[in-house]
Amino acid sequence: TTVVLLRASAAGTETLKNLVLPGIGRIVVVDDDAPTTSAASNFFTPPSKQEQPRAQTAVETLQELNPDVHGEWKRVNSITEWTSVLDGGGAGKALVVAADLELPLLRGVAKECTDRKIPLIIVQSYGLIGSVRIQSPPLPILEPKPENEPPVLSLVQPFDSFVQLAQSIDWDKLDNAQHGHVPYPLILWNVAREWKASHGGALPSSFQEKEEFRQSIRAKSRNWDSELNFQEALQNAYLAYTDREVDLDFVASLKEQCDGGVAPKMYAMLCALQAFMEKNNRAPLHGTIPDMTASTNLYVKLQKLYHDQALQDLQEFATFLGRDSGIAQDEAQSFCRNVYSLDLLTTRTLEEEYNVIDDAEVLDKWNMILMDPYEVPEQTPFLWYIALKAANVFCDKYNRYPGIIENYLQDVEPLQECIVKVVADMKLEESELVQHTLLGAEKKYATEMVREANAEVHNIASVLGGVASQEAVKIITGQYVPLNNTYIYNGIASTGGVYNV
């Protein structure tokens, strides 16, 4: 992967630092700035190299952290010339990081990335306020790695080898030590088997039946206080009568979104998943089991059974994919392990963000955010997002950021007009929080943004670079779920928020 940084600002170089250290492969820095004359705001452009282009200085300094990373730099008269680093070939899979670009330039970069289907991360450090925004083509979420995911044990429709192991246990002949170390999936299957035998083959369905089922588990224990395996069985009783299911309607919807070359690999695997489920009436097995109280012998046996069945399911899944799918076995295996958490992340484009909003769902989300402010309401990160957006609109209109003139207070009134316009475009004029803060007579937000005057504070840039690089890793590796779509950091109150804008 090639990471292309547009402008070697403090936030941009901090982002690259966190990618260079683990060994990103290739970085290209494109910069339109004059040779560096001060190191006050950027640790990666030291005074000893102030006579050379900032892009060159940034690359050389970053490579000192990890010489194995291939680094290139290009000094351009305008950032609009950045596409030459892609057109020249050798970029392969690319990710663009746009750091502290003025809105007219940023819009051009964002449109180019949209047209080329290249993920774009926008980083802006403005005084004590900052933002990280993702604009990306549809991103298949194949390895979300969710936390606290319930185990997939397939006890409602158990596979043959599991049933054989469960039937091989003679409960009456187990001594107390053995009885207290039978894995809880086997306990649940045994209790469920007896329940079905006395209830016409049906599993518990009503609340009362489920309570009775739980009491049946407790009654099977010889010494409840010491048999942790039976306590675990009670805690996971729902697994005996509720298998985790894949929503076929969601799969069909996801497949439709991936069609037309949007995400060809994910589309092919979703088609194979549908075929597998139509035949087996279940999803491919995950193949792993959680930690539990059990004897080593039984736990290893159980673990091997699930692993072997998952491998068998994977082989069957691969037959539905076909030999010419171009999908590697490890990709198919990762897909099968994550069938319950699949998704396709779609982000709004920058152009959509700066147009007048007409999406009722987005408007509802924004109003909900404003109804649940930060503990100090005026420090709510979403309010500072609006103020930062207004500063960018000001820059678009006057060709400079507010506050960089000698008599900086002259910019308060025109910036307040930009805040009013942004609020109107976002249709948030009726929000009480907005009326009392952004639109208040004191013009606190306009005054603060003018006072900060687009200053580059390196410790703020460092926070933003950490967030941006983390999102870059998610996009590059396809692991975890990238934020959707904007992170706002309020350095005044040391708080932040993620918003879909």
Side-chain angles (χ1 to χ4, degrees):
T1 298
T2 297
V3 178
V4 180
L5 172 63
L6 306 182
R7 190 166 288 167
S9 67
T13 51
E14 279 291 338
T15 302
L16 283 194
K17 176 201 75 176
N18 295 314
L19 296 173
V20 166
L21 283 170
I24 187 59
R26 180 171 182 253
I27 59 170
V28 180
V29 178
V30 180
D31 196 87
D32 59 351
D33 200 6
T36 303
T37 56
S38 171
S41 63
N42 193 340
F43 299 154
F44 293 95
T45 53
S48 59
K49 298 184 179 181
Q50 64 182 2
E51 299 302 323
Q52 63 187 31
R54 187 167 67 175
Q56 180 182 357
T57 302
V59 169
E60 290 175 353
T61 310
L62 287 165
Q63 282 190 299
E64 290 178 8
L65 301 174
N66 189 346
D68 292 333
V69 173
H70 179 70
E72 299 175 23
W73 62 274
K74 185 168 186 178
R75 171 74 166 85
V76 293
N77 293 321
S78 170
I79 290 293
T80 55
E81 303 170 31
W82 75 275
T83 55
S84 60
V85 302
L86 300 178
D87 298 333
K93 184 179 177 182
L95 169 70
V96 176
V97 178
D100 299 294
L101 298 186
E102 296 78 14
L103 187 56
L105 281 176
L106 185 57
R107 282 179 133 157
V109 170
K111 185 178 185 306
E112 190 69 33
C113 287
T114 300
D115 294 343
R116 291 176 180 251
K117 294 183 172 56
I118 296 174
L120 169 67
I121 297 178
I122 301 165
V123 190
Q124 183 175 12
S125 177
Y126 188 108
L128 297 177
I129 309 299
S131 70
V132 176
R133 190 199 195 284
I134 294 177
Q135 176 193 283
S136 173
L139 280 176
I141 308 299
L142 297 176
E143 270 191 271
K145 299 185 183 294
E147 294 182 3
N148 303 318
E149 189 177 26
V152 181
L153 299 177
S154 194
L155 297 180
V156 176
Q157 298 182 57
F159 48 96
D160 293 341
S161 55
F162 176 89
V163 174
Q164 290 169 8
L165 176 63
Q167 289 176 335
S168 70
I169 297 175
D170 189 339
W171 291 87
D172 293 333
K173 292 184 179 179
L174 297 178
D175 61 33
N176 289 340
Q178 293 170 330
H179 196 267
H181 288 82
V182 177
Y184 77 78
L186 299 176
I187 297 174
L188 290 176
W189 180 86
N190 185 52
V191 176
R193 177 177 61 84
E194 293 181 0
W195 177 279
K196 287 193 291 185
S198 61
H199 290 78
L203 287 168
S205 56
S206 67
F207 177 78
Q208 183 178 348
E209 287 180 337
K210 291 173 183 177
E211 282 301 308
E212 290 176 10
F213 183 83
R214 290 167 59 84
Q215 291 304 317
S216 299
I217 296 172
R218 193 179 185 109
K220 288 287 183 183
S221 173
R222 294 178 184 174
N223 185 337
W224 178 255
D225 292 332
S226 64
E227 292 191 323
L228 298 180
N229 56 335
F230 280 86
Q231 295 176 29
E232 291 169 357
L234 188 66
Q235 292 168 3
N236 294 280
Y238 70 97
L239 296 174
Y241 48 77
T242 309
D243 264 350
R244 196 172 179 190
E245 296 179 352
V246 173
D247 187 342
L248 289 174
D249 290 337
F250 178 73
V251 171
S253 172
L254 205 56
K255 193 175 85 169
E256 186 178 342
Q257 294 177 60
C258 295
D259 200 4
V262 173
K265 285 189 176 182
M266 190 171 189
Y267 177 80
M269 289 190 284
L270 287 168
C271 290
L273 176 62
Q274 281 186 319
F276 182 97
M277 292 183 67
E278 286 172 6
K279 180 182 176 183
N280 298 281
N281 199 31
R282 63 171 177 83
L285 204 61
H286 190 289
T288 60
I289 58 175
D291 291 335
M292 61 187 73
T293 302
S295 65
T296 302
N297 180 44
L298 277 177
Y299 186 82
V300 170
K301 279 185 179 180
L302 198 63
Q303 196 173 46
K304 187 176 187 305
L305 290 180
Y306 276 92
H307 176 269
D308 291 348
Q309 184 62 42
L311 190 59
Q312 184 179 321
D313 286 355
L314 176 61
Q315 291 169 349
E316 185 177 352
F317 178 81
T319 62
F320 291 115
L321 278 176
R323 293 183 177 180
D324 301 325
S325 64
I327 297 171
Q329 182 174 337
D330 59 341
E331 291 178 294
Q333 187 174 36
S334 177
F335 178 90
C336 290
R337 285 179 175 174
N338 292 280
V339 288
Y340 301 99
S341 308
L342 300 172
D343 207 350
L344 187 73
L345 179 69
T346 54
T347 62
R348 284 163 50 84
T349 65
L350 186 75
E351 203 58 39
E352 288 174 322
E353 178 183 349
Y354 278 87
N355 288 339
V356 177
I357 184 68
D358 57 2
D359 189 324
E361 185 179 348
V362 174
L363 282 171
D364 286 344
K365 288 181 180 178
W366 290 350
N367 279 296
M368 290 297 291
I369 291 167
L370 292 170
M371 290 171 65
D372 184 24
Y374 181 63
E375 57 187 30
V376 180
E378 66 181 19
Q379 297 298 351
T380 301
F382 193 69
L383 297 176
W384 290 101
Y385 159 74
I386 296 173
L388 183 60
K389 185 176 180 179
N392 288 328
V393 170
F394 181 102
C395 181
D396 193 17
K397 183 176 180 179
Y398 296 100
N399 203 31
R400 64 175 177 82
Y401 282 106
I404 63 173
I405 57 176
E406 186 173 350
N407 188 3
Y408 64 90
L409 290 177
Q410 288 182 353
D411 284 343
V412 171
E413 192 59 43
L415 178 57
Q416 183 64 27
E417 292 173 4
C418 291
I419 289 176
V420 171
K421 179 183 183 303
V422 169
V423 168
D425 288 348
M426 297 177 72
K427 299 181 181 177
L428 297 174
E429 310 99 310
E430 296 181 6
S431 165
E432 288 187 16
L433 182 61
V434 169
Q435 290 172 0
H436 294 151
T437 52
L438 289 164
L439 304 181
E442 303 89 346
K443 302 172 185 174
K444 288 182 179 179
Y445 292 81
T447 303
E448 179 63 24
M449 296 302 283
V450 165
R451 188 183 69 81
E452 294 188 6
N454 195 37
E456 201 171 39
V457 183
H458 197 105
N459 58 343
I460 300 297
S462 181
V463 172
L464 298 172
V467 174
S469 58
Q470 176 177 274
E471 299 309 309
V473 170
K474 292 177 185 177
I475 293 171
I476 292 167
T477 63
Q479 297 181 0
Y480 298 95
V481 182
L483 61 85
N484 188 9
N485 54 19
T486 299
Y487 171 78
I488 296 295
Y489 180 67
N490 173 4
I492 300 169
S494 296
T495 185
V498 176
Y499 308 109
N500 188 352
V501 297

mmCIF file with all atom_site columns, all heavy atoms in Angstrom, residues 78 80 90 140 176 217-218 231 243 254 286 309 338 340 348 369 432 439 479:
data_model
loop_
_atom_site.group_PDB
_atom_site.id
_atom_site.type_symbol
_atom_site.label_atom_id
_atom_site.label_alt_id
_atom_site.label_comp_id
_atom_site.label_asym_id
_atom_site.label_entity_id
_atom_site.label_seq_id
_atom_site.pdbx_PDB_ins_code
_atom_site.Cartn_x
_atom_site.Cartn_y
_atom_site.Cartn_z
_atom_site.occupancy
_atom_site.B_iso_or_equiv
_atom_site.pdbx_formal_charge
_atom_site.auth_seq_id
_atom_site.auth_comp_id
_atom_site.auth_asym_id
_atom_site.auth_atom_id
_atom_site.pdbx_PDB_model_num
ATOM 1   N N   . SER A 1 78  ? 1.354   23.646  -6.849  1.00 0.00 ? 78  SER A N   1
ATOM 2   C CA  . SER A 1 78  ? -0.010  23.594  -6.338  1.00 0.00 ? 78  SER A CA  1
ATOM 3   C C   . SER A 1 78  ? -0.369  22.139  -6.022  1.00 0.00 ? 78  SER A C   1
ATOM 4   O O   . SER A 1 78  ? 0.038   21.225  -6.753  1.00 0.00 ? 78  SER A O   1
ATOM 5   C CB  . SER A 1 78  ? -1.003  24.153  -7.352  1.00 0.00 ? 78  SER A CB  1
ATOM 6   O OG  . SER A 1 78  ? -2.341  23.898  -6.941  1.00 0.00 ? 78  SER A OG  1
ATOM 7   N N   . THR A 1 80  ? -2.931  20.764  -6.592  1.00 0.00 ? 80  THR A N   1
ATOM 8   C CA  . THR A 1 80  ? -3.718  20.203  -7.695  1.00 0.00 ? 80  THR A CA  1
ATOM 9   C C   . THR A 1 80  ? -2.879  19.286  -8.587  1.00 0.00 ? 80  THR A C   1
ATOM 10  O O   . THR A 1 80  ? -3.428  18.495  -9.350  1.00 0.00 ? 80  THR A O   1
ATOM 11  C CB  . THR A 1 80  ? -4.324  21.328  -8.557  1.00 0.00 ? 80  THR A CB  1
ATOM 12  O OG1 . THR A 1 80  ? -3.267  22.197  -9.003  1.00 0.00 ? 80  THR A OG1 1
ATOM 13  C CG2 . THR A 1 80  ? -5.334  22.142  -7.755  1.00 0.00 ? 80  THR A CG2 1
ATOM 14  N N   . GLY A 1 90  ? 3.247   2.518   -10.188 1.00 0.00 ? 90  GLY A N   1
ATOM 15  C CA  . GLY A 1 90  ? 3.972   2.019   -9.013  1.00 0.00 ? 90  GLY A CA  1
ATOM 16  C C   . GLY A 1 90  ? 3.263   2.270   -7.704  1.00 0.00 ? 90  GLY A C   1
ATOM 17  O O   . GLY A 1 90  ? 3.705   1.825   -6.659  1.00 0.00 ? 90  GLY A O   1
ATOM 18  N N   . PRO A 1 140 ? -15.909 -3.015  2.269   1.00 0.00 ? 140 PRO A N   1
ATOM 19  C CA  . PRO A 1 140 ? -16.415 -4.253  2.865   1.00 0.00 ? 140 PRO A CA  1
ATOM 20  C C   . PRO A 1 140 ? -15.824 -4.460  4.261   1.00 0.00 ? 140 PRO A C   1
ATOM 21  O O   . PRO A 1 140 ? -14.615 -4.380  4.447   1.00 0.00 ? 140 PRO A O   1
ATOM 22  C CB  . PRO A 1 140 ? -15.916 -5.338  1.898   1.00 0.00 ? 140 PRO A CB  1
ATOM 23  C CG  . PRO A 1 140 ? -15.582 -4.629  0.625   1.00 0.00 ? 140 PRO A CG  1
ATOM 24  C CD  . PRO A 1 140 ? -15.136 -3.262  1.046   1.00 0.00 ? 140 PRO A CD  1
ATOM 25  N N   . ASN A 1 176 ? -17.357 -37.414 40.995  1.00 0.00 ? 176 ASN A N   1
ATOM 26  C CA  . ASN A 1 176 ? -17.678 -36.000 41.233  1.00 0.00 ? 176 ASN A CA  1
ATOM 27  C C   . ASN A 1 176 ? -16.716 -35.048 40.524  1.00 0.00 ? 176 ASN A C   1
ATOM 28  O O   . ASN A 1 176 ? -17.113 -33.995 40.021  1.00 0.00 ? 176 ASN A O   1
ATOM 29  C CB  . ASN A 1 176 ? -17.696 -35.715 42.732  1.00 0.00 ? 176 ASN A CB  1
ATOM 30  C CG  . ASN A 1 176 ? -18.886 -36.352 43.419  1.00 0.00 ? 176 ASN A CG  1
ATOM 31  O OD1 . ASN A 1 176 ? -19.877 -36.686 42.763  1.00 0.00 ? 176 ASN A OD1 1
ATOM 32  N ND2 . ASN A 1 176 ? -18.801 -36.541 44.741  1.00 0.00 ? 176 ASN A ND2 1
ATOM 33  N N   . ILE A 1 217 ? -31.325 -27.376 34.452  1.00 0.00 ? 217 ILE A N   1
ATOM 34  C CA  . ILE A 1 217 ? -29.856 -27.353 34.447  1.00 0.00 ? 217 ILE A CA  1
ATOM 35  C C   . ILE A 1 217 ? -29.340 -27.388 35.885  1.00 0.00 ? 217 ILE A C   1
ATOM 36  O O   . ILE A 1 217 ? -28.449 -28.171 36.227  1.00 0.00 ? 217 ILE A O   1
ATOM 37  C CB  . ILE A 1 217 ? -29.332 -26.091 33.725  1.00 0.00 ? 217 ILE A CB  1
ATOM 38  C CG1 . ILE A 1 217 ? -29.737 -26.098 32.250  1.00 0.00 ? 217 ILE A CG1 1
ATOM 39  C CG2 . ILE A 1 217 ? -27.820 -25.979 33.874  1.00 0.00 ? 217 ILE A CG2 1
ATOM 40  C CD1 . ILE A 1 217 ? -29.439 -24.807 31.517  1.00 0.00 ? 217 ILE A CD1 1
ATOM 41  N N   . ARG A 1 218 ? -29.945 -26.557 36.721  1.00 0.00 ? 218 ARG A N   1
ATOM 42  C CA  . ARG A 1 218 ? -29.501 -26.486 38.124  1.00 0.00 ? 218 ARG A CA  1
ATOM 43  C C   . ARG A 1 218 ? -29.716 -27.822 38.834  1.00 0.00 ? 218 ARG A C   1
ATOM 44  O O   . ARG A 1 218 ? -28.882 -28.260 39.650  1.00 0.00 ? 218 ARG A O   1
ATOM 45  C CB  . ARG A 1 218 ? -30.267 -25.371 38.827  1.00 0.00 ? 218 ARG A CB  1
ATOM 46  C CG  . ARG A 1 218 ? -29.693 -24.990 40.168  1.00 0.00 ? 218 ARG A CG  1
ATOM 47  C CD  . ARG A 1 218 ? -30.477 -23.850 40.805  1.00 0.00 ? 218 ARG A CD  1
ATOM 48  N NE  . ARG A 1 218 ? -29.829 -23.440 42.038  1.00 0.00 ? 218 ARG A NE  1
ATOM 49  C CZ  . ARG A 1 218 ? -29.168 -22.304 42.207  1.00 0.00 ? 218 ARG A CZ  1
ATOM 50  N NH1 . ARG A 1 218 ? -29.047 -21.464 41.202  1.00 0.00 ? 218 ARG A NH1 1
ATOM 51  N NH2 . ARG A 1 218 ? -28.613 -22.006 43.378  1.00 0.00 ? 218 ARG A NH2 1
ATOM 52  N N   . GLN A 1 231 ? -22.722 -23.847 36.501  1.00 0.00 ? 231 GLN A N   1
ATOM 53  C CA  . GLN A 1 231 ? -23.012 -22.410 36.607  1.00 0.00 ? 231 GLN A CA  1
ATOM 54  C C   . GLN A 1 231 ? -22.845 -21.737 35.248  1.00 0.00 ? 231 GLN A C   1
ATOM 55  O O   . GLN A 1 231 ? -23.640 -20.874 34.854  1.00 0.00 ? 231 GLN A O   1
ATOM 56  C CB  . GLN A 1 231 ? -22.093 -21.768 37.650  1.00 0.00 ? 231 GLN A CB  1
ATOM 57  C CG  . GLN A 1 231 ? -22.326 -22.271 39.065  1.00 0.00 ? 231 GLN A CG  1
ATOM 58  C CD  . GLN A 1 231 ? -21.345 -21.691 40.059  1.00 0.00 ? 231 GLN A CD  1
ATOM 59  O OE1 . GLN A 1 231 ? -20.846 -20.576 39.886  1.00 0.00 ? 231 GLN A OE1 1
ATOM 60  N NE2 . GLN A 1 231 ? -21.044 -22.433 41.121  1.00 0.00 ? 231 GLN A NE2 1
ATOM 61  N N   . ASP A 1 243 ? -30.148 -20.647 18.401  1.00 0.00 ? 243 ASP A N   1
ATOM 62  C CA  . ASP A 1 243 ? -28.929 -20.568 17.597  1.00 0.00 ? 243 ASP A CA  1
ATOM 63  C C   . ASP A 1 243 ? -28.802 -19.178 16.994  1.00 0.00 ? 243 ASP A C   1
ATOM 64  O O   . ASP A 1 243 ? -29.809 -18.570 16.588  1.00 0.00 ? 243 ASP A O   1
ATOM 65  C CB  . ASP A 1 243 ? -28.961 -21.608 16.463  1.00 0.00 ? 243 ASP A CB  1
ATOM 66  C CG  . ASP A 1 243 ? -28.213 -22.880 16.842  1.00 0.00 ? 243 ASP A CG  1
ATOM 67  O OD1 . ASP A 1 243 ? -27.527 -22.866 17.873  1.00 0.00 ? 243 ASP A OD1 1
ATOM 68  O OD2 . ASP A 1 243 ? -28.330 -23.877 16.112  1.00 0.00 ? 243 ASP A OD2 1
ATOM 69  N N   . LEU A 1 254 ? -27.158 -6.633  1.352   1.00 0.00 ? 254 LEU A N   1
ATOM 70  C CA  . LEU A 1 254 ? -25.719 -6.401  1.260   1.00 0.00 ? 254 LEU A CA  1
ATOM 71  C C   . LEU A 1 254 ? -25.193 -6.828  -0.102  1.00 0.00 ? 254 LEU A C   1
ATOM 72  O O   . LEU A 1 254 ? -24.354 -6.151  -0.703  1.00 0.00 ? 254 LEU A O   1
ATOM 73  C CB  . LEU A 1 254 ? -25.020 -7.195  2.374   1.00 0.00 ? 254 LEU A CB  1
ATOM 74  C CG  . LEU A 1 254 ? -23.666 -6.707  2.871   1.00 0.00 ? 254 LEU A CG  1
ATOM 75  C CD1 . LEU A 1 254 ? -23.738 -5.269  3.341   1.00 0.00 ? 254 LEU A CD1 1
ATOM 76  C CD2 . LEU A 1 254 ? -23.172 -7.594  3.999   1.00 0.00 ? 254 LEU A CD2 1
ATOM 77  N N   . HIS A 1 286 ? -18.179 -21.232 12.960  1.00 0.00 ? 286 HIS A N   1
ATOM 78  C CA  . HIS A 1 286 ? -17.067 -20.334 13.305  1.00 0.00 ? 286 HIS A CA  1
ATOM 79  C C   . HIS A 1 286 ? -15.776 -21.119 13.531  1.00 0.00 ? 286 HIS A C   1
ATOM 80  O O   . HIS A 1 286 ? -14.713 -20.741 13.048  1.00 0.00 ? 286 HIS A O   1
ATOM 81  C CB  . HIS A 1 286 ? -17.451 -19.537 14.555  1.00 0.00 ? 286 HIS A CB  1
ATOM 82  C CG  . HIS A 1 286 ? -16.519 -18.430 14.886  1.00 0.00 ? 286 HIS A CG  1
ATOM 83  N ND1 . HIS A 1 286 ? -15.254 -18.634 15.375  1.00 0.00 ? 286 HIS A ND1 1
ATOM 84  C CD2 . HIS A 1 286 ? -16.664 -17.087 14.802  1.00 0.00 ? 286 HIS A CD2 1
ATOM 85  C CE1 . HIS A 1 286 ? -14.667 -17.468 15.576  1.00 0.00 ? 286 HIS A CE1 1
ATOM 86  N NE2 . HIS A 1 286 ? -15.507 -16.513 15.244  1.00 0.00 ? 286 HIS A NE2 1
ATOM 87  N N   . GLN A 1 309 ? -15.167 -29.383 11.956  1.00 0.00 ? 309 GLN A N   1
ATOM 88  C CA  . GLN A 1 309 ? -16.436 -29.090 11.288  1.00 0.00 ? 309 GLN A CA  1
ATOM 89  C C   . GLN A 1 309 ? -16.363 -27.761 10.547  1.00 0.00 ? 309 GLN A C   1
ATOM 90  O O   . GLN A 1 309 ? -16.899 -27.619 9.437   1.00 0.00 ? 309 GLN A O   1
ATOM 91  C CB  . GLN A 1 309 ? -17.577 -29.053 12.311  1.00 0.00 ? 309 GLN A CB  1
ATOM 92  C CG  . GLN A 1 309 ? -18.960 -28.856 11.694  1.00 0.00 ? 309 GLN A CG  1
ATOM 93  C CD  . GLN A 1 309 ? -19.346 -29.985 10.753  1.00 0.00 ? 309 GLN A CD  1
ATOM 94  O OE1 . GLN A 1 309 ? -19.105 -31.148 11.047  1.00 0.00 ? 309 GLN A OE1 1
ATOM 95  N NE2 . GLN A 1 309 ? -19.935 -29.629 9.605   1.00 0.00 ? 309 GLN A NE2 1
ATOM 96  N N   . ASN A 1 338 ? -16.720 -14.531 10.189  1.00 0.00 ? 338 ASN A N   1
ATOM 97  C CA  . ASN A 1 338 ? -17.340 -13.253 10.523  1.00 0.00 ? 338 ASN A CA  1
ATOM 98  C C   . ASN A 1 338 ? -18.703 -13.055 9.871   1.00 0.00 ? 338 ASN A C   1
ATOM 99  O O   . ASN A 1 338 ? -19.154 -11.916 9.702   1.00 0.00 ? 338 ASN A O   1
ATOM 100 C CB  . ASN A 1 338 ? -16.399 -12.108 10.107  1.00 0.00 ? 338 ASN A CB  1
ATOM 101 C CG  . ASN A 1 338 ? -15.133 -12.058 10.931  1.00 0.00 ? 338 ASN A CG  1
ATOM 102 O OD1 . ASN A 1 338 ? -15.122 -11.550 12.045  1.00 0.00 ? 338 ASN A OD1 1
ATOM 103 N ND2 . ASN A 1 338 ? -14.047 -12.590 10.389  1.00 0.00 ? 338 ASN A ND2 1
ATOM 104 N N   . TYR A 1 340 ? -21.601 -13.268 10.907  1.00 0.00 ? 340 TYR A N   1
ATOM 105 C CA  . TYR A 1 340 ? -22.620 -12.611 11.720  1.00 0.00 ? 340 TYR A CA  1
ATOM 106 C C   . TYR A 1 340 ? -22.350 -11.118 11.894  1.00 0.00 ? 340 TYR A C   1
ATOM 107 O O   . TYR A 1 340 ? -23.175 -10.410 12.484  1.00 0.00 ? 340 TYR A O   1
ATOM 108 C CB  . TYR A 1 340 ? -22.705 -13.279 13.095  1.00 0.00 ? 340 TYR A CB  1
ATOM 109 C CG  . TYR A 1 340 ? -23.049 -14.742 13.018  1.00 0.00 ? 340 TYR A CG  1
ATOM 110 C CD1 . TYR A 1 340 ? -22.053 -15.719 13.118  1.00 0.00 ? 340 TYR A CD1 1
ATOM 111 C CD2 . TYR A 1 340 ? -24.349 -15.167 12.816  1.00 0.00 ? 340 TYR A CD2 1
ATOM 112 C CE1 . TYR A 1 340 ? -22.354 -17.070 13.033  1.00 0.00 ? 340 TYR A CE1 1
ATOM 113 C CE2 . TYR A 1 340 ? -24.664 -16.518 12.726  1.00 0.00 ? 340 TYR A CE2 1
ATOM 114 C CZ  . TYR A 1 340 ? -23.663 -17.457 12.839  1.00 0.00 ? 340 TYR A CZ  1
ATOM 115 O OH  . TYR A 1 340 ? -23.969 -18.789 12.737  1.00 0.00 ? 340 TYR A OH  1
ATOM 116 N N   . ARG A 1 348 ? -20.513 9.480   3.383   1.00 0.00 ? 348 ARG A N   1
ATOM 117 C CA  . ARG A 1 348 ? -20.923 10.638  2.578   1.00 0.00 ? 348 ARG A CA  1
ATOM 118 C C   . ARG A 1 348 ? -19.674 11.315  2.024   1.00 0.00 ? 348 ARG A C   1
ATOM 119 O O   . ARG A 1 348 ? -18.638 11.361  2.669   1.00 0.00 ? 348 ARG A O   1
ATOM 120 C CB  . ARG A 1 348 ? -21.715 11.627  3.448   1.00 0.00 ? 348 ARG A CB  1
ATOM 121 C CG  . ARG A 1 348 ? -23.141 11.180  3.719   1.00 0.00 ? 348 ARG A CG  1
ATOM 122 C CD  . ARG A 1 348 ? -23.763 11.928  4.893   1.00 0.00 ? 348 ARG A CD  1
ATOM 123 N NE  . ARG A 1 348 ? -23.634 13.366  4.804   1.00 0.00 ? 348 ARG A NE  1
ATOM 124 C CZ  . ARG A 1 348 ? -24.458 14.158  4.124   1.00 0.00 ? 348 ARG A CZ  1
ATOM 125 N NH1 . ARG A 1 348 ? -25.467 13.633  3.453   1.00 0.00 ? 348 ARG A NH1 1
ATOM 126 N NH2 . ARG A 1 348 ? -24.281 15.467  4.104   1.00 0.00 ? 348 ARG A NH2 1
ATOM 127 N N   . ILE A 1 369 ? -28.134 14.432  18.501  1.00 0.00 ? 369 ILE A N   1
ATOM 128 C CA  . ILE A 1 369 ? -26.826 14.764  19.085  1.00 0.00 ? 369 ILE A CA  1
ATOM 129 C C   . ILE A 1 369 ? -26.935 16.044  19.909  1.00 0.00 ? 369 ILE A C   1
ATOM 130 O O   . ILE A 1 369 ? -26.432 16.134  21.042  1.00 0.00 ? 369 ILE A O   1
ATOM 131 C CB  . ILE A 1 369 ? -25.771 14.940  17.972  1.00 0.00 ? 369 ILE A CB  1
ATOM 132 C CG1 . ILE A 1 369 ? -25.461 13.595  17.316  1.00 0.00 ? 369 ILE A CG1 1
ATOM 133 C CG2 . ILE A 1 369 ? -24.493 15.560  18.532  1.00 0.00 ? 369 ILE A CG2 1
ATOM 134 C CD1 . ILE A 1 369 ? -24.685 13.714  16.015  1.00 0.00 ? 369 ILE A CD1 1
ATOM 135 N N   . GLU A 1 432 ? -32.339 24.523  20.359  1.00 0.00 ? 432 GLU A N   1
ATOM 136 C CA  . GLU A 1 432 ? -32.122 25.455  21.465  1.00 0.00 ? 432 GLU A CA  1
ATOM 137 C C   . GLU A 1 432 ? -30.642 25.580  21.803  1.00 0.00 ? 432 GLU A C   1
ATOM 138 O O   . GLU A 1 432 ? -30.157 26.674  22.097  1.00 0.00 ? 432 GLU A O   1
ATOM 139 C CB  . GLU A 1 432 ? -32.895 24.978  22.705  1.00 0.00 ? 432 GLU A CB  1
ATOM 140 C CG  . GLU A 1 432 ? -34.399 25.144  22.601  1.00 0.00 ? 432 GLU A CG  1
ATOM 141 C CD  . GLU A 1 432 ? -35.096 24.825  23.906  1.00 0.00 ? 432 GLU A CD  1
ATOM 142 O OE1 . GLU A 1 432 ? -34.411 24.781  24.952  1.00 0.00 ? 432 GLU A OE1 1
ATOM 143 O OE2 . GLU A 1 432 ? -36.316 24.608  23.884  1.00 0.00 ? 432 GLU A OE2 1
ATOM 144 N N   . LEU A 1 439 ? -25.319 30.743  17.852  1.00 0.00 ? 439 LEU A N   1
ATOM 145 C CA  . LEU A 1 439 ? -26.046 31.931  17.375  1.00 0.00 ? 439 LEU A CA  1
ATOM 146 C C   . LEU A 1 439 ? -26.251 32.959  18.475  1.00 0.00 ? 439 LEU A C   1
ATOM 147 O O   . LEU A 1 439 ? -27.008 33.921  18.290  1.00 0.00 ? 439 LEU A O   1
ATOM 148 C CB  . LEU A 1 439 ? -27.404 31.505  16.793  1.00 0.00 ? 439 LEU A CB  1
ATOM 149 C CG  . LEU A 1 439 ? -27.353 30.470  15.663  1.00 0.00 ? 439 LEU A CG  1
ATOM 150 C CD1 . LEU A 1 439 ? -28.753 30.157  15.150  1.00 0.00 ? 439 LEU A CD1 1
ATOM 151 C CD2 . LEU A 1 439 ? -26.462 30.947  14.517  1.00 0.00 ? 439 LEU A CD2 1
ATOM 152 N N   . GLN A 1 479 ? -9.493  -4.695  8.740   1.00 0.00 ? 479 GLN A N   1
ATOM 153 C CA  . GLN A 1 479 ? -9.856  -5.193  10.064  1.00 0.00 ? 479 GLN A CA  1
ATOM 154 C C   . GLN A 1 479 ? -10.430 -4.064  10.915  1.00 0.00 ? 479 GLN A C   1
ATOM 155 O O   . GLN A 1 479 ? -10.053 -2.910  10.769  1.00 0.00 ? 479 GLN A O   1
ATOM 156 C CB  . GLN A 1 479 ? -8.627  -5.789  10.761  1.00 0.00 ? 479 GLN A CB  1
ATOM 157 C CG  . GLN A 1 479 ? -8.061  -6.999  10.038  1.00 0.00 ? 479 GLN A CG  1
ATOM 158 C CD  . GLN A 1 479 ? -6.861  -7.585  10.760  1.00 0.00 ? 479 GLN A CD  1
ATOM 159 O OE1 . GLN A 1 479 ? -6.454  -7.089  11.796  1.00 0.00 ? 479 GLN A OE1 1
ATOM 160 N NE2 . GLN A 1 479 ? -6.297  -8.643  10.217  1.00 0.00 ? 479 GLN A NE2 1
#
